[in-house]
Amino acid sequence: EPEVTQTPSHQVTQMGQEVILRCVPISNHLYFYWYRQILGQKVEFLVSFYNNEISEKSEIFDDQFSVERPDGSNFTLKIRSTKLEDSAMYFCASHNARGGTGELFFGEGSRLTVL
Amino acid sequence: ELKVEQNPLFLSMQEGKNYTIYCNYSTTSDRLYWYRQDPGKSLESLFVLLSNGAVKQEGRLMASLDTKARLSTLHITAAVHDLSATYFCAVDMVRGNLIFGKGTKLSVKP
């Protein structure tokens, strides 16, 4: 069964460092997303991406964050200068809006710890 | 701003009992999801509800949607320990931009 894959599974970084989280969405999917979940809290939308550009972004997704799809398969989330409060689980998701239920498929997540 | 409220947030059940988790949301949406999350794990899709009156069942779980009341329910029948997890409902604002509830942490005890 096709799945969304994410790397790394866990990253520890120092405050102020840049971090790149990587995702490989399901191959025929067209819409890509990043969500985050601070430990013990609810899942929050960060950004959606379609046709090589951002479709929507939340208030959380400020200038420190960026996304790109550099090579047609990977979808990356970059945090330019990490803060302590960026510590969270980051989930990538994708779906195919053409037909089907539009169901969102989530990856296993990348846990980011900022020290 | 869309708000999604789940209740209860914590639920301790005995095996074999039935219970319902409620998900209320504040504005119109035509798509509602239920997800399961085990500790430290990803979100497993349980149900996608697309229309008013939709009812879906999988094993001991049944989900329904009333778009007029802006209410979805997740009913658990004859709970077993394996159902212990956190359950989230999520409402689709704009395709794929999901607003999640806070989750219901379910603990099923023998």
Side-chain angles (χ1 to χ4, degrees), chain B residues 80-107:
Chain B
V80 294
H81 179 70
D82 286 352
L83 289 180
S84 297
T86 299
Y87 293 85
F88 291 95
C89 67
V91 176
D92 196 332
M93 279 290 291
V94 174
R95 197 176 298 280
N97 175 354
L98 302 187
I99 306 298
F100 282 77
K102 290 184 177 180
T104 297
K105 187 171 182 179
L106 172 65
S107 175

Side-chain angles (χ1 to χ4, degrees), chain B residues 51-70:
Chain B
S51 61
N52 188 40
V55 178
K56 291 194 175 180
Q57 182 160 7
E58 182 74 33
R60 300 175 188 275
L61 301 177
M62 183 172 72
S64 67
L65 178 63
D66 180 343
T67 57
K68 292 179 183 176
R70 297 177 187 161

